[in-house]
Each structure stands twice: as C-alpha cells, then as structure tokens.
Amino acid sequence: MPDYFPEDIKRYIIPEAKGELYYQCLGCSAQYPIDKLLYVCPACQEVLLIHDRKKDSLKNIPGPVWQKIFDFRKMLKIPALKGIYRYHEFIGSCIPLDSIIYLGEGHTPVVEANQQLKEKIGLSFFYKNDGQNPSASFKDRGMASALSSIKYLIDQKLISNVIAICASTGDTSASAALYASYFGPLIKSAVLLPHKKVTSQQLSQPLGSGAKVFEIPGVFDDCMKIVEHLSSRYPVILLNSKNAWRILGQESYSYEIAQDFDWKMKDKAIVVPIGNAGNISAVMNGFIKFFEAGIIDALPKIIGVQSEHADPVYRYYLEPDETRRKFVPVNTKPSVAQAAMIGNPVSMPRVIQISKKYNEIAGSRHIFFVQVTEQAIMDWQLQANHNGHIACTQGGECLAGLAKAFELKIVSSHEIAILDATAHAIKFSGFQDLYFNNAIPEDYKISSNPDFINLPSLVLPEDKDLIPSQEKRLNEKDFQGFVKDISDKIAKKLKLEICE
Ligand SMILES: *Cc1c(COP(=O)(O)O)cnc(C)c1O
Ligand SMILES: [Zn+2]
C-alpha cells in the first residue's frame, strides 16, 4: 500500500506520465515527435533512438532515493508497475499507466553458477534467465514497450486499425504475436519467418497466438528487407528492433541487473549474444542512463559475443583504429545460435555510437567483442544445462564467450559475470537432439563430444509378449513379472544394490 511507504519517497512511488519523449536520428541528429510512427529518419534513412526532454530533471532526485523508490515499488500490486515499467521514468515516461500492457515480462531470475561450473570457467558468474519471460525470450521486454506505445497512440486517437508486422529469427515473432493478440481485434499481427530457419517450437508460437505467419525463402536478412519495403509503402507498424521503442523496453534488462546486485556495478561484466544488435545497444544504453542519473556509480564491462558463422560486429571492431573501421555485412553460415544468425545487423549504427559514448564515460575501454566457434557454443550450452541452468544455444554462446574473454584476459578471476540466457532451452532443443544423435549437418562444423551425449534407453522385458498397452492390459501375475523384470534391469544399469 503506497500509504505505508516512507515519507521521502511516497510522492514518487506512483509515477506520473510527465516525460517528453522524442525520436532522434543517429545520422543527422534531427528530432521528431513520437505521436507519429517512425522507424528511420525521413531525411537520411538512419535508425532512431528515443530520448526524454525532461531527462535532466531526473537528476533532481538523488541516486540513493531512486534506489529506494525502485526497491519499494517492488512491493506494489499494480500490474502496470510489476514488469519493465517499475522503471517508468527511464522506460516510457510519457505513457500513462492505463496504456501499459503487462503479460508477466521482466524481473527474470538471476541464478549463480555452481562451484564446478565456476571452476571450469575461472570466475564467478550468474545466468539471468530471460527465457522465463512469457514468450520464453528477452524479446518480451521490448515488445511490452512497443505495444504499450501503440496502445498509447490508440488511446490518444492518433492511430486505429493497426496491423503490426515483423521479420524474425523466431523469437521476435513469438513475442509480437503474443502481445498483439492480447489486444484482440484492436491490433492484428503478421510475421515473416525465413523458411526452415526457425525451430518448430518458435513456429508454433505465433500460430498459436493467431497471427498471420508467412514463411519466406532465404535467411533473416532477406525477410527484413521485405518487412522494410512493406513498412515504407503500407500503413503497417514495424515491431522489429528498428522500432526504437523496442530498444527502450530492453533497457530494463540493465536496470534489473543493477537492482539485483544492490546497485554495485564495479567489477561486473555483462555478457550478451549479438544478432541484430538491438539488445546490446539497449543494455549499454540502460547502464549509461542509470549512471548519468547517479543510480549506479560504476559502469560494468560489456562483452558482446558472436559466432564465427555470423560475426559482422566482431569483425568491425577487429580494426583498432576507430577512424579506419568500416562496416561490411557478412554472408552468414549455418549456426546453432540461430536467433543471432544475422549478417547485416539493423542496429549497427546504434552499437557504434553508444559503445563509443560508453567507453568515454567509463574512462577506459569497457565494451568488448569476442568470437566463438559453433563447437564451443554447443559444448558450453550442454555443460551449463548439466549444471542446473536452462540456457538456449545463445545462452551457450554467452558462456563460450565468457570462457574466451577469460582466456583473452578481458575479464579476470576477481570479477563477476552476468550472462544473458536470452531464450529458454526448450525452444532450441532440436539442436540438442541433433548433437546427441551425432547428426548435426556438416556445415555447422560441430562434432558431438561423447562425454556430453545423453540418450534415452528403452527397457524391454525378456518376454516380448508380456508388454502392457492401453489396448491389452496384462493379468495381475504377468504384470508383477513385468514390473520385477524391468526394475531389475534398471537397477543393474544404475548399479544399485538391494537394501537389507
Ligand atoms: C533476438 C535474439 C538474440 C539476438 O538479439 P539482437 O537484439 O538481435 O542482437 C539472441 N538470442 C535470442 C534467443 C534472441 O531471440
Ligand atoms: Zn537523419
């Protein structure tokens, strides 16, 4: 109950929609109002970010008071403030609470690695399980923000008859379809997927949410071009991370880490996989905003990880001389980190600008990019999950990246890493099946390590006629024989001894 809260924070506990947000172009710095739908700068076609004209007034509240506000807000039972909008003033400060959609996203668990796994890597680390979001990936953070912004425009009578579309490596479409479906007939959604390049679980999600699903031959980058073409010609709302609202919502990931670790970001390293580079842009931006508002007093290191089969960002930063760097899109090769298998990341301009600013504010290099093999991604994913985690292949990519960063001395044993398990393991269980059956297609360049293989064994009775089925139940004596026979076989396999 807000009434019970301490006097110094009582008036701040329920946020008001006081922010004045605007789009700013990363190319020519032109500013545009947010009451129109905009994805790129009409003048120079560059991507945008959202800023708040009232940003400086956030500094009127001291950092420790903000910390207290967020800690007390944790106790509220108001749905609009239970998810990413706990940080309303930093997420979508112009959106009234009744336009906010909450489907249970955000505030995902942070799980410490056990001793065995820590020793294998060389330092202490945690997984932040963003696969425990409603559509089982971190994309729900951005989607809650984007859909709340659309609801806000609808409530303001600025738009109607909305058709929302996106291209996807699987998780964006699952999330977009879920959030759009909550608004029923108010918002319809259509998603474009690269044919056979998303897992069957990911395909079932938008279908289950009732979205129109289009499969397109090619890879994600090809789908993205079609979506861009559609959104430049037709009145559709783009839900890809080109949409700056997505970035804004995903900044919540950083705010939560700050809060989870008691606002102490010194000697922390955040590890994220990079695909379209929207997420790493958001993660960097989030920490900058909290640092500038005095809520955290240090910036953590950030390590972006890419597979050698989709590594344009890593390649860009191989050139140490900033003035000589040149972005070249790559043609992707098959990757088990399929959700990050992108050769021409839409958010590259955001990464370039934000990481430069981040390093400047931090006073030394704090943003790093590492490249890992497909083999390392699979092997580390399986090892993580053998030790109590629920990491997807991209989560495996993070752990492979941390191992690599330790090897390269980017991090050392006194630091603590927080890894993004970006989706739930079960979305990508097909790759695990292929690995266990030694059947990953050759072009992935992965061979199965026998130590990590785990397959079920079928246990059959001696007498093949004495098998229970739904059609034909066994008589009592036969059934008891069956139970004993199978039990003995399992006990033998488990090397169990009969207890006295
Ligand atoms: C989208 C996605 C990524 C990549 O994030 P970007 O913002 O595109 O860089 C990584 N992992 C999973 C599970 C994803 O769904
Ligand atoms: Zn511009």
Side-chain angles (χ1 to χ4, degrees):
M1 298 295 211
D3 279 356
Y4 300 157
F5 286 9
E7 280 309 320
D8 60 334
I9 57 162
K10 210 181 238 175
R11 65 198 165 111
Y12 302 123
I13 275 296
I14 310 295
E16 289 165 47
K18 284 197 296 203
E20 289 174 18
L21 303 192
Y22 62 94
Y23 292 112
Q24 182 157 19
C25 169
L26 272 80
C28 68
S29 299
Q31 298 182 0
Y32 303 96
I34 51 138
D35 58 4
K36 274 213 223 47
L37 298 163
L38 214 54
Y39 312 106
V40 291
C41 174
C44 77
Q45 303 303 311
E46 268 292 2
V47 287
L48 311 166
L49 280 173
I50 295 171
H51 298 283
D52 189 348
R53 255 182 214 103
K54 293 265 190 72
K55 176 180 122 183
D56 281 338
S57 71
L58 298 177
K59 290 189 194 144
N60 296 341
I61 299 177
V65 177
W66 276 120
Q67 296 171 357
K68 199 165 165 185
I69 293 169
F70 296 138
D71 284 343
F72 274 87
R73 262 188 205 161
K74 241 178 166 171
M75 285 189 260
L76 293 178
K77 298 176 189 93
I78 301 166
L81 297 175
K82 285 174 81 72
I84 61 169
Y85 286 93
R86 176 188 294 169
Y87 314 100
H88 183 273
E89 294 84 347
F90 294 82
I91 291 272
S93 55
C94 65
I95 300 193
L97 299 197
D98 53 12
S99 295
I100 287 172
I101 176 171
Y102 170 67
L103 298 186
E105 64 284 341
H107 309 292
T108 50
V110 173
V111 179
E112 187 168 11
N114 64 17
Q115 199 57 32
Q116 178 172 317
L117 203 50
K118 280 185 203 170
E119 277 166 16
K120 275 193 180 154
I121 295 289
L123 74 159
S124 197
F125 72 93
F126 293 72
Y127 263 115
K128 185 162 170 66
N129 285 338
D130 258 24
Q132 287 180 271
N133 275 301
S135 81
S137 87
F138 76 82
K139 299 292 198 300
D140 295 335
R141 298 175 179 278
M143 224 45 89
S145 166
L147 271 293
S148 296
S149 80
I150 295 170
K151 181 66 169 31
Y152 170 62
L153 297 182
I154 293 174
D155 291 347
Q156 302 274 308
K157 309 229 173 343
L158 291 166
I159 54 170
S160 60
N161 287 328
V162 173
I163 297 195
I165 61 163
C166 67
S168 175
T169 54
D171 291 332
T172 298
S173 54
S175 183
L178 176 68
Y179 280 77
S181 73
Y182 187 78
F183 290 115
L186 216 51
I187 301 174
K188 293 188 181 58
S189 70
V191 307
L192 277 70
L193 299 170
H195 187 46
K196 299 214 161 104
K197 294 280 187 309
V198 305
T199 71
S200 54
Q201 294 88 332
Q202 289 170 322
L203 177 59
S204 81
Q205 289 185 288
L207 291 171
S209 296
K212 286 252 179 285
V213 177
F214 300 100
E215 296 187 282
I216 314 289
V219 293
F220 169 83
D221 296 292
D222 306 316
C223 289
M224 191 63 216
K225 284 281 174 276
I226 295 167
V227 163
E228 282 170 354
H229 190 77
L230 282 169
S231 70
S232 67
R233 297 200 159 198
Y234 300 94
V236 292
I237 292 186
L238 184 64
L239 287 179
N240 277 94
S241 52
K242 202 160 213 182
N243 182 330
W245 290 95
R246 285 270 315 276
I247 306 297
L248 207 55
Q250 287 169 209
E251 289 168 9
S252 61
Y253 183 81
S254 302
Y255 304 153
E256 289 174 21
I257 289 177
Q259 189 166 20
D260 282 335
F261 287 88
D262 278 331
W263 322 102
K264 297 186 185 82
M265 288 294 106
K266 191 173 170 284
D267 292 333
K268 301 287 190 311
I270 313 298
V271 188
V272 285
I274 305 178
N276 228 353
N279 204 33
I280 190 166
S281 302
V283 170
M284 294 188 289
N285 229 13
F287 285 118
I288 290 177
K289 285 190 193 169
F290 262 23
F291 184 76
E292 287 183 333
I295 300 170
I296 53 175
D297 60 8
L299 286 174
K301 283 179 189 164
I302 293 179
I303 301 166
V305 190
Q306 293 211 292
S307 156
E308 60 181 354
H309 285 181
D311 58 356
V313 183
Y314 167 78
R315 282 169 188 270
Y316 175 84
Y317 283 99
L318 274 181
E319 168 59 60
D321 181 353
E322 188 187 312
T323 59
R324 289 177 49 195
R325 285 181 193 145
K326 194 171 166 297
F327 181 73
V328 188
V330 303
N331 286 316
T332 56
K333 293 189 198 124
S335 173
V336 292
Q338 196 166 258
M341 197 179 68
I342 294 173
N344 190 10
V346 161
S347 283
M348 195 62 206
R350 291 175 176 146
V351 173
I352 295 172
Q353 273 196 20
I354 303 170
S355 63
K356 186 164 187 278
K357 182 175 174 190
Y358 198 100
N359 287 328
E360 278 167 14
I361 298 176
S364 64
R365 182 156 184 207
H366 270 57
I367 309 283
F368 301 88
F369 300 91
V370 299
Q371 182 212 47
V372 296
T373 63
E374 287 291 310
Q375 182 76 46
I377 295 174
M378 266 325 284
D379 289 350
W380 280 116
Q381 185 214 0
L382 295 173
Q383 290 181 84
N385 295 352
H386 279 179
N387 285 278
H389 297 284
I390 48 169
C392 61
T393 44
Q394 295 66 223
E397 185 176 15
C398 280
L399 189 50
L402 180 63
K404 188 67 170 280
F406 186 75
E407 203 182 295
L408 297 172
K409 300 198 163 52
I410 292 171
V411 287
S412 55
S413 56
H414 75 282
E415 288 170 280
I416 292 174
I418 298 110
L419 277 54
D420 198 344
T422 45
H424 199 290
I426 52 173
K427 282 205 191 206
F428 295 87
S429 59
F431 289 115
Q432 177 182 293
D433 293 345
L434 288 170
Y435 188 103
F436 288 169
N437 288 293
N438 227 325
I440 298 192
E442 211 172 294
D443 42 8
Y444 285 83
K445 301 267 184 291
I446 295 173
S447 53
S448 308
N449 179 339
D451 291 344
F452 302 150
I453 290 180
N454 196 12
L455 288 166
S457 38
L458 181 61
V459 190
L460 292 172
E462 277 328 297
D463 186 343
K464 303 285 177 284
D465 289 333
L466 295 184
I467 291 181
S469 73
Q470 279 182 311
E471 292 74 36
K472 187 173 151 278
R473 302 304 301 163
L474 297 176
N475 67 38
E476 187 59 27
K477 184 169 154 286
D478 286 348
F479 185 65
Q480 275 179 15
F482 168 81
V483 168
K484 179 162 187 315
D485 185 8
I486 300 288
S487 301
D488 289 347
K489 288 198 161 93
I490 291 174
K492 197 167 165 207
K493 281 180 196 284
L494 294 177
K495 300 192 174 67
L496 299 177
E497 310 239 349
I498 291 178
C499 39
E500 295 306 318

